[in-house]
Amino acid sequence: MLIIANWKMNGSLAESKAYFESLDVAGGATVVICPPFPLLQYCGEIARSVSTVQVGAQNCHWERSGAFTGEVSVKLLCELGVRWVLAGHSERRRIFGESNELISKKVRIALQSGLGVVVCIGEDLQERESGSTMQVLEQQITESLAGIVIKDAASGILFPNPEFPFDQSQLVIAYEPVWAIGTGRVADAEEVNSIHQNIKALFSFPIQVLYGGSCNDKNASSFAGRNGIDGLLVGGASLDSHSFSRIVKAMSLQ
Ligand code: PGA
């Protein structure tokens, strides 16, 4: 079970200290906190004292280093003790124009550096209403994982690219329907479970699939105990350590 807090552009030094002091994540789930870049080192140091908590970055650059003003390299993230990175969050896709092709470059360098990568995918409302959800997800997966997996022409199944060796347990998909992110409109857990099963069936190897989109301490338990749902990616409700702790607890109980 993997439960990730995505603070987005929120949080401060003082808030981080208070957050970790009241965070209660006993229960066996792996908990990853993704604060803004400047808080990574500080949160990482505090997190190391709580063995089940790791830190993750919300983004990274796709080159090792160079003249990329304002960007952050995976090398530096690793040096800071970061274990995970998000790739292709819908806000990065929509607000910052990130394409599947660019996302695939980030996924490649992050995996090569030994980071766990959470590749975010999700349909928008129009795509959902036109019945093309699975098609959209499959295209996002295939293109965001270009060079990492190869589609078998006959079966359509995605196999690891033998020319790109990576630890498959480090690759995670987060299914985050765009219409559910930050809207308070949570997806139906039964439906999420079957979408996750469909996502898993695209791969020749086992892959963890998380759900994200308006998860909170009231609805988290509906996602627990379902074999397609391996965890959650939580935005707004992760900013309050008490509410996030309750989410972790609800998911760990099953
Ligand atoms: P939300 O965000 O929980 O605030 O809907 C989820 C996300 O963006 O990962």
Side-chain angles (χ1 to χ4, degrees), residues 4-6 8 86 89-91 120 174 176-178 180-185 211-216 232-239:
I4 303 182
N6 177 10
K8 308 191 180 184
L86 307 182
H89 188 281
S90 77
E91 286 148 18
C120 306
E176 299 202 292
V178 177
I181 296 179
T183 58
R185 212 180 137 189
Y211 168 75
S214 296
C215 289
N216 58 36
L232 300 175
L233 176 49
V234 188
S238 74
L239 296 175

